[in-house]
Amino acid sequence: MSTTPTPLPTFAGRSFQVEYDGLAAHNIYSDDGRHIRYAIVSGPYAGASGEAECQWRQIADGVYVISWQEADGATVVHVDDFGKGHSQAFFTASDLTFHRMQGPLTALDNPERAP
């Protein structure tokens, strides 16, 4: 019985900035695309950072749904179009406030590595 390995996602081993109205974050993905290190760099949650296991599904060429749960219980779901440079995010903070955001997605010039 042979198995075909799942191809790595476009974002694996790369770093990106997402910019939403009032919030920007850096998302740094592991080489296998299964972990994310994130840092909120502006907005009401600025300074928040952490690491999480993430899951993803490719839904179109270059478009992925990526989800994770942060240590404080916050949940995040992105629909990221890496080809067109656009992100939509749905975020439930630990205080249960819900946010819907969209904006540009850009690769960071000085990539970092997630664990």
Side-chain angles (χ1 to χ4, degrees), residues 35-96:
H35 295 88
I36 183 170
R37 190 168 70 222
Y38 56 87
I40 309 299
V41 297
S42 69
Y45 300 100
S49 64
E51 298 176 11
E53 184 176 351
C54 63
Q55 293 187 354
W56 57 269
R57 297 288 180 269
Q58 184 171 6
I59 58 172
D61 188 31
V63 182
Y64 295 82
V65 174
I66 308 165
S67 64
W68 65 90
Q69 185 167 25
E70 299 175 355
D72 66 359
T75 60
V76 181
V77 177
H78 278 221
V79 178
D80 287 346
D81 185 335
F82 292 93
K84 293 183 180 174
H86 188 262
S87 176
Q88 294 184 56
F90 305 90
F91 167 58
T92 302
S94 61
D95 66 2
L96 301 182

Side-chain angles (χ1 to χ4, degrees), residues 14-17 105-110:
R14 299 177 64 196
S15 301
F16 296 88
Q17 178 168 299
L105 168 72
T106 54
L108 293 172
D109 290 334
N110 188 7

